[in-house]
Amino acid sequence: MISLLVAGATALLVAGLGTPLLIRWLATKGIGQQIRDDGPLGHVTKAGTPTMGGLAIVAAVFAGYLVGHARIGTVFSVSGLVVMLAIGGAAAVGLADDWIKVSRQRSLGLNMRTKLAGQLAVAVAFAIVALRWSGVSTELSFTRSSSPGLALGTVGWAVLAVLLLIGSANAVNLTDGLDGLAAGSAVFAFATLAVIGYWQFRHTFIYHVPQGLDLALAAMALTGACAGFLWWNAAPARIFMGDTGSLAIGAALAALCLQMNLVLLLPVIAGLFVMVTLSVIIQVASYRLFHRRVFRMAPLHHWPSGCSTPTSSPSGWSVDDGPGGSTGHRAPRRCARGRPRSQRRGGGPAAAERPRTGDSRRRSC
């Protein structure tokens, strides 16, 4: 337990104290986020915000993981090192994508095929190393390893691992669209995995995951790193994690669940990421098949941006800056019916002070 706390605290401090240094360095180099033209209008003001903040997350994860093993009796395992390999590989692909964006001053980095090829290489390498050296179970467990499950075999498990790793990485990448959303969601997911990993370690004879402590330590380092980064990424974000962070976080989620034999729990633990990804799939499929949009905008977290902007803060993770929000800021409405009474036509002192012209009698919507 002490090792878990040390790993989480170290990662929290490294991310919390290292991120502002990274912000200062990125701002000095003029490395900022490029905004897509077809995105929400509110994102235009975020252009130029330092990106590639995932470097701080990855550095904090590795630091927390290493320092957590300083305690006598805590040993490295192949399973934990394989998870670190997946994190580093996915982060490298994301870093290449982010660097192309900032160096060429455009919102698109690697093309789709190149990016997918990089993710595929990382996923295949993870599957090969996990099967040959980490002793991962290739049986899909519905309750626990001692109960009957679905035997996937070596090839079946490898295919599943590749699909989960790539899918999870892109799911977090899609979710990284609002300040603090991906980092805050990841904190809850990794904290859950840390608790499960420690429980598996204490009950190895039931779950048959002998590397549970090392996997829980990796999950705890990820929890601390995301929490430390969230302090600077919460609205208004001073830095974005970029693909460097989102791909690394997504790969870590899938890698941990695969090593812990929690594949069926992954959609539950990463429920928000799954919902966001499904919203994109539904939107694209509906438009191509029926030429109709199910949502006003996809991914799902951009849908309510016309009325209010859901954001997140370190102290109260989910807040609404719209009407009645904790910040007191009221988002503009498109219709007069949504305006405060003082701003409606014919109501309040503000309306009495406005000069009445012919245009003022025209309905706004």
Side-chain angles (χ1 to χ4, degrees), residues 189 265-278:
L265 275 181
L266 178 58
V268 179
I269 296 173
L272 177 64
F273 304 123
V274 174
M275 290 174 58
V276 169
T277 305
L278 286 177

Side-chain angles (χ1 to χ4, degrees), residues 315-337:
S315 55
W317 179 65
S318 181
V319 226
D320 188 358
D321 285 347
S326 60
T327 60
H329 170 69
R330 188 177 296 273
R333 299 280 185 167
R334 297 183 178 181
C335 298
R337 290 188 298 272

Side-chain angles (χ1 to χ4, degrees), residues 227-242:
F229 179 78
L230 179 61
W231 183 264
W232 304 98
N233 181 237
R238 295 183 58 186
I239 188 173
F240 299 138
M241 67 171 64

